[in-house]
Amino acid sequence: FDSRGRRNPFLRPEARGRVDAFVEFFPYPHAELLEVTARALGRAVAPLEKRHAPHLRFAWTPDVEEFFAARYGALEGLRPILKAFGGLTEVLRAARQAGRFDPAAPDA
């Protein structure tokens, strides 16, 4: 049974009998991890630009990509990185409330 109490179809003999191969996933090499992180960061930031500051373009240094890439783990994959991107909205909101980010005044 799964977490919702439903019967797991993969425990049934007819489902197990159809599995003929397993796909093994290997950890990302660091260079590829940085590339994937940069792409994912761009996709995470695009809706924030559109919603919070349509006339601004967010930019970051390679250190930011390293910061997020450091969350990668071979067992968890990219999930911790993508989860960390979820906090970007809260960071922008806190910066705006503290007066450090004002999308209405891009020159500030």
Side-chain angles (χ1 to χ4, degrees):
F1 291 93
D2 66 9
S3 61
R4 295 183 182 171
R6 297 178 298 197
R7 188 175 288 280
N8 186 338
F10 295 105
L11 296 177
R12 299 174 70 183
E14 57 270 18
R16 278 194 316 248
R18 293 184 178 153
V19 176
D20 60 354
F22 291 92
V23 177
E24 191 170 351
F25 290 93
F26 295 101
Y28 278 104
H30 189 69
E32 287 181 25
L33 176 61
L34 289 177
E35 184 179 333
V36 169
T37 301
R39 287 182 187 179
L41 183 58
R43 282 194 296 268
V45 165
L48 298 176
E49 288 176 336
K50 192 181 284 187
R51 184 176 358 155
H52 294 286
H55 57 283
L56 296 178
R57 176 92 172 117
F58 290 98
W60 52 87
T61 64
D63 291 339
V64 173
E65 295 165 11
E66 287 281 356
F67 173 80
F68 284 110
R71 287 164 166 64
Y72 175 76
L75 293 177
E76 299 155 326
L78 296 173
R79 279 186 224 103
I81 296 172
L82 300 176
K83 186 176 178 183
F85 291 160
L88 292 174
T89 303
E90 287 77 31
V91 170
L92 284 177
R93 186 177 295 119
R96 191 173 189 176
Q97 290 172 348
R100 287 184 264 153
F101 173 67
D102 183 3
D107 296 329

